[in-house]
Amino acid sequence: MVLCSTLGHELRNPLAAVFASLHVVEAMTDDADPRAKFVNRAQADLERLRTSLDALLCLGSGRAAEGEPIEVDFAAHDFILRRRDARFSFVHHRSADATPTVVADRALLDRAVENLCENALRAGASSVELRLEQDADEVRLEVVDDGPGLPTSSPEELFEPFHSPSGGTGLGLAVVRATMNACGGSVELCDRDDARGTVATLRWPTLN
Protein backbone atom coordinates (compact mmCIF):
# COMPACT_ATOMS: atom_id res chain seq x y z
CA MET A 1 0.00 0.00 0.00
CA VAL A 2 2.83 2.42 0.94
CA LEU A 3 4.71 1.51 -2.25
CA CYS A 4 1.62 2.24 -4.38
CA SER A 5 1.10 5.60 -2.69
CA THR A 6 4.75 6.52 -3.18
CA LEU A 7 4.71 5.49 -6.84
CA GLY A 8 1.50 7.43 -7.37
CA HIS A 9 3.06 10.56 -5.94
CA GLU A 10 6.36 10.19 -7.81
CA LEU A 11 4.73 9.51 -11.18
CA ARG A 12 1.68 11.78 -11.08
CA ASN A 13 3.71 14.93 -10.37
CA PRO A 14 5.92 14.74 -13.49
CA LEU A 15 2.87 13.70 -15.54
CA ALA A 16 1.02 16.82 -14.38
CA ALA A 17 4.04 18.95 -15.33
CA VAL A 18 4.13 17.46 -18.83
CA PHE A 19 0.39 18.04 -19.23
CA ALA A 20 0.85 21.68 -18.21
CA SER A 21 3.66 22.15 -20.72
CA LEU A 22 1.59 20.61 -23.50
CA HIS A 23 -1.31 22.95 -22.71
CA VAL A 24 1.07 25.89 -23.15
CA VAL A 25 2.26 24.51 -26.50
CA GLU A 26 -1.35 23.91 -27.54
CA ALA A 27 -2.19 27.55 -26.77
CA MET A 28 0.67 28.62 -29.02
CA THR A 29 -0.59 26.65 -32.04
CA ASP A 30 -3.77 26.72 -34.11
CA ASP A 31 -5.53 24.07 -36.18
CA ALA A 32 -3.62 25.10 -39.30
CA ASP A 33 -0.26 24.55 -37.61
CA PRO A 34 1.20 21.22 -38.87
CA ARG A 35 2.52 20.59 -35.35
CA ALA A 36 -0.95 20.68 -33.81
CA LYS A 37 -1.74 17.04 -34.62
CA PHE A 38 1.39 15.89 -32.80
CA VAL A 39 0.47 17.94 -29.73
CA ASN A 40 -3.04 16.45 -29.76
CA ARG A 41 -1.65 12.94 -30.14
CA ALA A 42 0.78 13.48 -27.26
CA GLN A 43 -2.07 14.73 -25.04
CA ALA A 44 -4.20 11.70 -25.92
CA ASP A 45 -1.32 9.30 -25.21
CA LEU A 46 -0.57 11.01 -21.89
CA GLU A 47 -4.21 10.82 -20.89
CA ARG A 48 -4.16 7.09 -21.63
CA LEU A 49 -1.00 6.79 -19.55
CA ARG A 50 -2.57 8.65 -16.63
CA THR A 51 -5.71 6.49 -16.78
CA SER A 52 -3.64 3.31 -16.93
CA LEU A 53 -1.47 4.46 -14.04
CA ASP A 54 -4.51 5.16 -11.87
CA ALA A 55 -6.01 1.75 -12.68
CA LEU A 56 -2.73 -0.11 -12.07
CA LEU A 57 -2.13 1.64 -8.76
CA CYS A 58 -5.67 0.78 -7.73
CA LEU A 59 -5.02 -2.84 -8.65
CA GLY A 60 -1.69 -2.88 -6.79
CA SER A 61 -3.21 -1.41 -3.63
CA GLY A 62 -5.75 -4.21 -3.41
CA ARG A 63 -8.74 -1.96 -4.10
CA ALA A 64 -11.19 -3.18 -6.71
CA ALA A 65 -10.86 -1.41 -10.03
CA GLU A 66 -14.06 0.12 -11.35
CA GLY A 67 -15.60 -2.11 -13.99
CA GLU A 68 -18.05 -1.21 -16.72
CA PRO A 69 -19.69 -3.05 -19.62
CA ILE A 70 -17.21 -3.11 -22.51
CA GLU A 71 -17.84 -4.29 -26.07
CA VAL A 72 -14.74 -6.39 -26.63
CA ASP A 73 -14.78 -6.19 -30.43
CA PHE A 74 -14.79 -2.38 -30.29
CA ALA A 75 -11.98 -2.39 -27.71
CA ALA A 76 -9.87 -4.74 -29.87
CA HIS A 77 -10.49 -2.68 -33.02
CA ASP A 78 -9.57 0.50 -31.14
CA PHE A 79 -6.35 -1.07 -29.91
CA ILE A 80 -5.33 -2.09 -33.46
CA LEU A 81 -6.12 1.37 -34.86
CA ARG A 82 -4.17 3.18 -32.15
CA ARG A 83 -1.08 1.04 -32.56
CA ARG A 84 -0.98 1.63 -36.32
CA ASP A 85 1.23 -1.44 -36.70
CA ALA A 86 0.89 -3.72 -39.73
CA ARG A 87 2.00 -6.67 -37.61
CA PHE A 88 -1.30 -6.58 -35.67
CA SER A 89 -4.66 -7.80 -37.02
CA PHE A 90 -8.12 -8.58 -35.61
CA VAL A 91 -10.61 -11.32 -36.47
CA HIS A 92 -14.08 -11.70 -34.93
CA HIS A 93 -15.45 -15.22 -35.28
CA ARG A 94 -19.13 -14.43 -34.83
CA SER A 95 -21.27 -17.22 -33.40
CA ALA A 96 -24.21 -15.01 -32.42
CA ASP A 97 -25.84 -11.68 -33.32
CA ALA A 98 -25.16 -10.21 -29.87
CA THR A 99 -22.05 -8.08 -29.39
CA PRO A 100 -19.62 -9.75 -26.94
CA THR A 101 -19.75 -7.60 -23.80
CA VAL A 102 -17.81 -8.05 -20.56
CA VAL A 103 -17.42 -6.12 -17.32
CA ALA A 104 -13.88 -4.77 -16.93
CA ASP A 105 -11.80 -1.66 -16.37
CA ARG A 106 -11.17 -0.30 -19.88
CA ALA A 107 -7.66 1.01 -19.13
CA LEU A 108 -6.59 -2.26 -17.52
CA LEU A 109 -8.06 -4.34 -20.34
CA ASP A 110 -6.23 -2.21 -22.89
CA ARG A 111 -2.97 -2.57 -20.99
CA ALA A 112 -3.45 -6.35 -20.64
CA VAL A 113 -3.81 -6.77 -24.41
CA GLU A 114 -0.84 -4.45 -24.97
CA ASN A 115 1.30 -6.48 -22.55
CA LEU A 116 0.48 -9.72 -24.37
CA CYS A 117 1.27 -8.20 -27.77
CA GLU A 118 4.52 -6.67 -26.55
CA ASN A 119 5.56 -10.01 -25.04
CA ALA A 120 4.90 -11.76 -28.35
CA LEU A 121 6.99 -9.28 -30.34
CA ARG A 122 9.78 -9.33 -27.75
CA ALA A 123 9.88 -13.14 -28.01
CA GLY A 124 10.43 -12.93 -31.77
CA ALA A 125 6.95 -12.96 -33.34
CA SER A 126 6.53 -11.19 -36.69
CA SER A 127 2.73 -11.01 -36.51
CA VAL A 128 0.05 -11.00 -33.79
CA GLU A 129 -3.63 -11.70 -34.42
CA LEU A 130 -6.44 -10.91 -31.97
CA ARG A 131 -9.23 -13.47 -32.31
CA LEU A 132 -12.56 -12.87 -30.60
CA GLU A 133 -15.06 -15.65 -29.98
CA GLN A 134 -18.22 -16.00 -27.89
CA ASP A 135 -20.47 -18.87 -26.92
CA ALA A 136 -23.24 -19.37 -24.38
CA ASP A 137 -20.85 -19.48 -21.44
CA GLU A 138 -17.90 -17.20 -22.13
CA VAL A 139 -16.20 -14.56 -24.23
CA ARG A 140 -12.66 -15.39 -25.39
CA LEU A 141 -10.08 -12.98 -26.76
CA GLU A 142 -7.07 -14.88 -28.07
CA VAL A 143 -3.72 -13.21 -28.76
CA VAL A 144 -2.14 -15.51 -31.34
CA ASP A 145 1.45 -15.06 -32.53
CA ASP A 146 3.87 -16.78 -34.89
CA GLY A 147 6.85 -16.66 -32.53
CA PRO A 148 9.03 -19.50 -31.26
CA GLY A 149 6.48 -20.76 -28.73
CA LEU A 150 6.58 -20.90 -24.95
CA PRO A 151 10.07 -20.83 -23.40
CA THR A 152 9.04 -23.34 -20.73
CA SER A 153 6.96 -26.48 -20.34
CA SER A 154 5.28 -24.88 -17.30
CA PRO A 155 3.31 -21.80 -18.49
CA GLU A 156 2.15 -21.01 -14.95
CA GLU A 157 5.62 -19.93 -13.88
CA LEU A 158 5.54 -17.16 -16.51
CA PHE A 159 2.80 -15.42 -14.51
CA GLU A 160 5.03 -15.14 -11.45
CA PRO A 161 6.14 -11.53 -10.75
CA PHE A 162 9.69 -10.72 -11.92
CA HIS A 163 9.97 -14.00 -13.85
CA SER A 164 11.15 -13.04 -17.35
CA PRO A 165 12.92 -15.45 -19.72
CA SER A 166 13.25 -12.62 -22.28
CA GLY A 167 15.02 -10.20 -19.93
CA GLY A 168 12.10 -7.83 -19.29
CA THR A 169 10.74 -6.67 -15.95
CA GLY A 170 8.73 -9.84 -15.45
CA LEU A 171 5.66 -7.85 -14.41
CA GLY A 172 3.65 -7.83 -17.65
CA LEU A 173 1.99 -11.23 -17.35
CA ALA A 174 1.53 -10.84 -13.59
CA VAL A 175 -0.42 -7.63 -14.28
CA VAL A 176 -2.47 -9.39 -16.97
CA ARG A 177 -3.48 -12.14 -14.53
CA ALA A 178 -4.28 -9.66 -11.74
CA THR A 179 -6.39 -7.66 -14.21
CA MET A 180 -8.37 -10.70 -15.32
CA ASN A 181 -8.86 -11.90 -11.74
CA ALA A 182 -10.16 -8.46 -10.76
CA CYS A 183 -12.90 -8.61 -13.41
CA GLY A 184 -13.91 -12.22 -12.77
CA GLY A 185 -12.03 -13.58 -15.77
CA SER A 186 -8.93 -15.67 -16.37
CA VAL A 187 -5.89 -15.93 -18.63
CA GLU A 188 -3.94 -18.90 -19.88
CA LEU A 189 -0.95 -19.54 -22.17
CA CYS A 190 -0.29 -22.45 -24.49
CA ASP A 191 1.62 -23.32 -27.63
CA ARG A 192 -0.31 -23.25 -30.90
CA ASP A 193 -1.38 -26.65 -32.17
CA ASP A 194 -1.88 -25.49 -35.77
CA ALA A 195 1.46 -23.77 -36.34
CA ARG A 196 4.56 -22.37 -34.69
CA GLY A 197 3.75 -19.79 -32.00
CA THR A 198 1.85 -19.09 -28.80
CA VAL A 199 -1.78 -18.45 -27.83
CA ALA A 200 -2.71 -16.29 -24.84
CA THR A 201 -6.42 -16.56 -24.05
CA LEU A 202 -8.39 -14.01 -22.02
CA ARG A 203 -11.72 -15.41 -20.80
CA TRP A 204 -14.79 -13.71 -19.26
CA PRO A 205 -18.27 -14.97 -18.35
CA THR A 206 -20.79 -14.16 -21.08
CA LEU A 207 -23.12 -11.23 -20.28
CA ASN A 208 -25.37 -11.39 -23.34
Side-chain angles (χ1 to χ4, degrees), residues 56-159:
L56 288 168
L57 290 173
C58 180
L59 196 64
S61 68
R63 293 180 287 119
E66 292 185 8
E68 61 178 346
I70 295 173
E71 295 180 354
V72 184
D73 55 350
F74 176 79
H77 270 301
D78 186 51
F79 173 80
I80 297 294
L81 290 174
R82 277 191 290 100
R83 287 301 296 254
R84 299 183 294 274
D85 191 324
R87 293 174 294 181
F88 297 152
S89 60
F90 173 63
V91 177
H92 185 180
H93 299 285
R94 291 189 176 275
S95 58
D97 293 332
T99 301
T101 302
V102 302
V103 173
D105 180 285
R106 177 59 185 268
L108 288 177
L109 171 58
D110 192 69
R111 186 55 191 152
V113 173
E114 192 167 31
N115 273 333
L116 293 174
C117 290
E118 288 173 349
N119 281 350
L121 296 179
R122 191 180 298 116
S126 61
S127 67
V128 181
E129 183 177 81
L130 305 185
R131 299 178 183 174
L132 179 61
E133 298 182 349
Q134 178 186 22
D135 56 33
D137 298 319
E138 66 180 12
V139 174
R140 294 180 299 279
L141 181 62
E142 297 180 341
V143 180
V144 184
D145 69 58
D146 63 351
L150 293 176
T152 175
S153 59
S154 177
E156 280 299 306
E157 71 183 23
L158 298 176
F159 291 102

Side-chain angles (χ1 to χ4, degrees), residues 59 67 102-105 109 178-186 203-205:
L59 196 64
V102 302
V103 173
D105 180 285
L109 171 58
T179 295
M180 296 305 295
N181 289 343
C183 65
S186 63
R203 302 176 184 272
W204 299 266

